[in-house]
Each structure stands twice: as C-alpha cells, then as structure tokens.
Amino acid sequence: MVILSLLLALAQDEIQAAIEKIRAGGTPEKLLTDRRLLDAIAEQIRLSKPCGEPVLLHLCAHGGRADADALLALLGHKTVKVAYAAVFALAPLVDDKLLALLEPRLDGSRDVELRALMVLAEARFPAAAALLEKRATRLDPADRDRSRALLRAIGACRARGTHDAVVLYYEKSDDDHAVRALGRMWEMRLDAAPLERADEIRRLSALLFIRRLALGGATSEAYCDALLRILTRDEFDKFLRDFAAEKFYARRECADAAMARGFDRAKGTRLVEAFLANPDAGLVARLLVRSPHALPKERLAALLD
C-alpha cells in the first residue's frame, strides 16, 4: 500500500508539473494527450479552480467525449477565445446524449445560448431540429445577433418545422440570413427522394419567393445560393436549359454561389459546365479561373474552336 501511495503521489506530481508547464506556455511532450492530464484539467474546471487560458485551450485541443461536461462549462467562459475553442471542440462530439446536456445551455445566459447555437450549427446534427423548433419564436428583428445565430443553426440542422417562423421573420426584417436558412432547410440534392406532400408544399412556397428575390433587380449571391440549393433535379435541369446560355441579370451571382465553399459539388459542377455556353465572355473567364470543379476536357477544347 505504501508503494502504491508513493506511485500515485509521483503520478500526481507529474500531472501537476505538466499543467504548470502548459500554463507557462510549454508543451509536456510525454503527457500531451494523457488521459490523466486531461482528467486533472477537467476536474479543476469542475471545481471552478483557476487554470489559465493555455491550460483550458489544451483541453479544447486534445479533449474528447469524456471531457464533454468540462467543455460545456467552458461555453460560459469570460474569455471569448476559450469559449469559441470549446464550441469547435464540442461540435464533432454532438450526439443524442450530448444534445440533452446542451439543451439547458440554449436557455442559459445570452452568451452561453449563442455559443450553444454555434455548436449546433457546426455539428449539423439533424436530431437537434426539435430543440430549434421549440425556440423558433425567439426570432426577433429587434435582436439580430441572436436571430442570426438561431437561423444559422436552423439551416445547418435542417429544422423544417421552423419554416413558418423563418418566413415571418424575413417579412418583418428583410434579413438575408432567413433566406440562407430556408435554402439550407429545403436543400435538395440531385439524388434526393421526393418530399411528403406537406413538406413539398412548404418547399414550393419558399421556392416561389426565393426565385423572385434571386432573379430580381436586387439579387445577391445569398439569394442565388438559396435558389440553387432548393431546386430539385428536374427544376435544376430546367433552370440550366432556360438560363445557362442567357445574359440574365443574376448570372454572375449564380455562378459565384455554385463555386462557393460548401455548395453541393454535383450541382456546382453541372452549373459551371452549363454556364460555359454563356455569351458573357467575362463570366466564362471567371468560371475558368475560379471554378473549384473539374471540367470535362472536351468542353474546354470546344471553347477554343
């Protein structure tokens, strides 16, 4: 027993020395991701003991599911850098169990609520839709920061039950973030299965007014992004047939949306390829220079003929 106690004491001394080294800006190579070290940091957070920013960032960088409680506690940290590090550490860990632990944070202080919404937006966890639908009434033009954080999570988690609340918010605010949320909420991949009747009716209602915005005189990349996302395969094919070879007003915004990071690769590739037939030489040059999508050699060769 005496030997065991000595070994435990030595281990604790080693862990404490590692924590002190991290606090001073060093790196304890041997214990970098040691479970004992992470547990010791998590325990200090649980007991509300001061750790120092480098130690907390170390937990965010190397912690995992076992450290979820400590990471959740850091969402309310006064240092924005630490709180945001906790957000990005938690996002890949979100599952049903963590979602239940995160839910009370959605009703916490304003800062904690916004950061909890950031976690959901980064996680893109569909099961979070039910939590977001309960809170859609919080969309308020008078509080755009909170509304935009909520809209980002709604779009990322495809919380379709919030459709009416998002449309109502847009009607009161003209906030582009609502259009972005609708585009992601009703996004249809080229191989997507048909929606049920009630959902299809709501998707079509969103499509009608988003199309008007995207193809109107006040168009923007955000509007065109939402339009292109929401189109089904047949609708997308028709859009390309009708507009790819035309100098329509929103052609550049549509092209930029299709080339943007995060846009569906299959749709983006097809749009860029189709728009190579556009009579706007400047647009074609823009596509050739900026497109992240691989283009068929025969289409590129045809441009030289």
Side-chain angles (χ1 to χ4, degrees), residues 35 38-39 42 59 62-72 90 93:
R35 185 68 257 166
L38 299 176
D39 286 344
L59 180 69
H62 301 288
R65 200 169 299 281
D67 308 298
D69 287 338
L71 293 171
L72 285 167
L90 283 165
L93 306 178

Side-chain angles (χ1 to χ4, degrees), residues 5 8 17 47 56 59 71 86 98 104 123 126 130 133 159-160 179 212 244 259 285 289 292 302:
S5 297
L8 290 174
L47 297 174
L56 298 178
L59 180 69
L71 293 171
L98 185 55
E133 287 164 10
R160 292 172 172 171
V179 178
R212 185 174 67 251
M259 294 189 291
V289 170

Side-chain angles (χ1 to χ4, degrees), residues 90-219:
L90 283 165
L93 306 178
V94 174
D95 57 11
D96 290 332
K97 183 178 178 181
L98 185 55
L99 193 61
L101 298 175
L102 191 64
E103 183 173 8
R105 272 75 181 181
L106 294 172
D107 301 314
S109 68
R110 180 183 176 82
D111 284 345
V112 171
E113 177 193 1
L114 295 182
R115 291 161 186 170
L117 289 170
M118 285 181 64
V119 173
L120 295 181
E122 293 297 324
R124 301 174 183 272
F125 192 57
L131 299 185
L132 297 168
E133 287 164 10
K134 293 180 192 174
R135 292 161 177 81
T137 54
R138 296 180 182 177
L139 292 171
D140 181 2
D143 189 349
R144 296 219 171 189
D145 287 342
R146 177 202 242 179
S147 295
R148 288 175 174 179
L150 183 53
L151 287 166
R152 185 164 176 256
I154 283 171
C157 298
R158 307 190 74 180
R160 292 172 172 171
T162 66
H163 171 92
D164 292 344
V166 173
V167 171
L168 180 62
Y169 170 78
Y170 178 78
E171 290 173 349
K172 293 179 178 178
S173 66
D174 286 332
D175 188 348
D176 289 356
H177 288 73
V179 178
R180 290 193 184 99
L182 287 169
R184 284 158 176 76
M185 181 192 308
W186 296 111
E187 183 168 7
M188 302 294 288
R189 304 282 181 175
L190 294 178
D191 58 353
L195 298 174
E196 294 183 4
R197 179 177 173 78
D199 279 347
E200 178 63 3
I201 289 172
R202 288 189 295 172
R203 185 192 71 85
L204 288 173
S205 70
L207 173 58
L208 287 174
F209 97 83
I210 289 174
R211 179 186 173 92
R212 185 174 67 251
L213 293 172
L215 301 182
T219 190

Side-chain angles (χ1 to χ4, degrees), residues 73-85:
L74 292 181
L75 291 179
H77 198 274
K78 62 182 180 180
T79 305
V80 173
K81 184 177 180 180
V82 171
Y84 278 25

Side-chain angles (χ1 to χ4, degrees), residues 18 21 40 43 55 57 84 88 96 116 120 124 131-132 143 154 159 208 220 222 242 245 247 260 272 275 291 302:
K21 187 171 183 179
E43 180 66 8
V55 176
L57 292 175
Y84 278 25
F88 292 108
D96 290 332
L120 295 181
R124 301 174 183 272
L131 299 185
L132 297 168
D143 189 349
I154 283 171
L208 287 174
S220 69
D242 291 346
K247 281 190 173 183
V272 170
F275 272 39
S291 175

